[in-house]
Amino acid sequence: MSQLPLVAIVGRPNVGKSSLFNRLVGGRRAIVDEEAGLTRDRLYGKVDWRGRDFNVVDTAGLDAQAAQLERRRDDAMRAELAENTQRGTMMAVEEADVIIFVVDVRAGLTAADEDVARTLRRSKIPVVLAANKSESPKDPGYLHEMYSLGFGEPLPVSALQGSNTGDLLDRVVELLPPAEDVEALDPGRVSVCILGRPNVGKSSLLNAILGRERSLVAALPGTTRDPVDTEVMVGEQPIILVDTAGIRRKGVTKGGIEHYTLLRAFRALERADVALMVIDAAEGIRAQDQHIAGYATEAGKGVALVVNKWDLLPAEDRDDAAWRTRISKDFQFIPGLPVVYASALSGRHVKDVLPMALQVAEARNRRISTGELNRTVREAVASFPPPLRKSRQLKVLYATQGRERTPTIIFFVNDPELAHFSYRRYLENRIREVHGFAGVPLRILFRSRDEDD
């Protein structure tokens, strides 16, 4: 697979960047409020437009004066937050392939807009100028002032109403790097992304696997700022290991660089085959561990679990059956999640980690022949026929596996709306029982097909 291009939404505070982000990715994923500078957590979403897939990142507002203002107020904490936020936004700009520069057409050109423009001109990255809050086509506001920013014709858009956002995406797609120039991964290699909350021992685990100090290890959470790629051989199989910064839940992060490491962790996950999820045995399974694993399954990646710091547990708490029950319950959205109880410090079971990841990668690449799949489906339907819904019964005509990288089973049926979610889950479980896919998301699709076809 390949790394998708990245589009960064940039501008001074309170011009509607988060509203535009929500419009482009198709949902209210960013917090929108009238208070300037509310967005400190950058958010990350995927867009498909005119056959091109790319990622969009919502950034905090660029405001060079914010930190100075807070220091004049003698508020060192808020000043540090402002500095980190600005630094992190600039990192997102440097990572981007295209920038959407958002200005407020109702407020007109400001000194802060001109500061942002100077910064973007230095970056040499293609820029699309979006004049937001253009709700009335009869009232252009201060559109004429935006030409002086030097990014060509400003495009009037309304994130609130959605007007001209299609034209905006057209301009973005024209500036994206050609699809064939996007760096592709070697299909013969398995890419394993190491994920987890800060301070669970990800870098220590990587060092233990490699037997040398490849990543900086410290007791402070968030030591790893950038993913560090490392190639290692398991037998004759090359594996690319990616160490990433710890992912914190929203509301705990401090802005700036730490948020940017979250973006990079997601980008590392995007190009991986398997997510190696690391948790701290002494702390147990936290809600954020579940959320991070959820990110991986939503991205269609295989997941393997490493319960690290096993040696720190009292002997009475090392009951494998109890842990297995807890893991099955808390990670029930990943059926058959494989697990290794390890200690990066002592080396306990570290040798088992990569073979486990390879098993998950193999399961993700598994292909079921149409004949085998339909035998499994026929037996499942005969054992438990679909229930009646509104006096009608679902009829499964045949099934086939799609060509997607994430295993996808397509059922051709008389009416997809008759497929109750519980029956979908039943069919998925039967396929897993027969064909495996442990630790791998299995996508189930129902499509209509006439019985006479």
Side-chain angles (χ1 to χ4, degrees), residues 22-329:
N22 289 335
R23 176 67 62 177
L24 297 184
V25 302
R28 288 182 57 83
R29 295 182 55 189
I31 301 172
V32 180
D33 196 272
E34 290 300 320
E35 179 186 349
L38 183 65
T39 301
R40 296 196 185 108
D41 284 308
R42 274 182 301 282
L43 289 175
Y44 186 45
K46 185 176 179 181
V47 175
D48 177 4
W49 189 255
R50 281 174 34 188
R52 287 299 304 273
D53 290 334
F54 55 93
N55 289 311
V56 177
V57 59
D58 180 26
T59 69
L62 273 174
D63 185 353
Q65 307 304 316
Q68 297 177 21
L69 177 62
E70 297 299 345
R71 292 206 183 281
R72 284 199 294 271
R73 292 174 177 169
D74 200 25
D75 192 333
M77 183 176 296
R78 290 182 67 89
E80 183 182 6
L81 172 61
E83 288 173 352
N84 284 342
T85 299
Q86 300 306 297
R87 193 177 301 120
T89 295
M90 282 310 304
M91 288 179 173
V93 167
E94 293 166 5
E95 184 88 356
D97 297 289
V98 177
I99 293 168
I100 298 175
F101 178 15
V102 184
V103 292
D104 183 343
V105 76
R106 312 307 307 166
L109 191 61
T110 69
D113 291 323
E114 293 175 336
D115 287 342
V116 175
R118 280 191 289 272
T119 299
L120 296 184
R121 280 194 290 272
R122 289 195 296 269
S123 74
K124 307 295 184 184
I125 298 169
V127 173
V128 178
L129 182 59
N132 192 30
K133 305 186 183 180
S134 298
E135 277 75 42
S136 174
K138 295 181 180 179
D139 181 5
Y142 293 95
L143 186 66
H144 60 284
E145 295 184 357
M146 308 307 171
Y147 284 87
S148 65
L149 292 171
F151 296 108
E153 182 180 3
L155 179 64
V157 302
S158 171
L160 182 65
Q161 298 177 349
S163 58
N164 285 344
T165 51
D167 293 339
L168 176 65
L169 288 172
D170 284 344
R171 289 195 187 182
V172 168
V173 167
E174 289 171 1
L175 295 173
L176 290 177
E180 61 270 19
D181 289 348
V182 177
E183 183 182 357
L185 296 177
D186 183 345
R189 296 176 178 177
V190 173
S191 178
V192 178
C193 179
I194 303 175
L195 293 179
R197 292 182 291 110
N199 216 27
V200 294
K202 299 180 304 301
S203 296
S204 298
L205 179 64
L206 176 61
N207 293 333
I209 290 171
L210 299 176
R212 57 191 172 93
E213 292 292 318
R214 179 63 181 87
S215 291
L216 174 64
V217 179
L220 296 175
T223 298
T224 304
R225 291 303 185 190
D226 297 327
V228 182
D229 286 12
T230 308
E231 183 172 3
V232 62
M233 299 293 293
V234 176
E236 298 182 356
Q237 174 64 57
I239 294 178
I240 302 298
L241 284 171
V242 180
D243 182 31
T244 60
I247 300 177
R248 297 168 180 259
R249 68 184 183 277
K250 287 178 63 177
V252 174
T253 50
K254 297 180 180 178
I257 294 174
E258 204 164 83
H259 296 287
Y260 180 67
T261 61
L262 174 64
L263 165 64
R264 283 209 166 170
F266 286 150
R267 297 204 83 192
L269 175 62
E270 173 190 310
R271 60 189 172 86
D273 301 300
V274 177
L276 200 59
M277 180 71 203
V278 184
I279 68 172
D280 186 330
E283 295 184 355
I285 300 171
R286 301 287 184 87
Q288 186 63 359
D289 297 324
Q290 296 170 294
H291 294 158
I292 295 170
Y295 295 145
T297 57
E298 287 173 9
K301 311 303 180 182
V303 183
L305 181 66
V306 178
V307 181
N308 191 30
K309 306 184 185 181
W310 189 254
D311 53 326
L312 299 182
L313 282 182
E316 62 270 18
D317 292 337
R318 299 182 192 179
D319 182 63
D320 178 74
W323 270 90
R324 186 71 258 182
T325 299
R326 193 179 315 160
I327 289 168
S328 297
K329 177 178 178 292

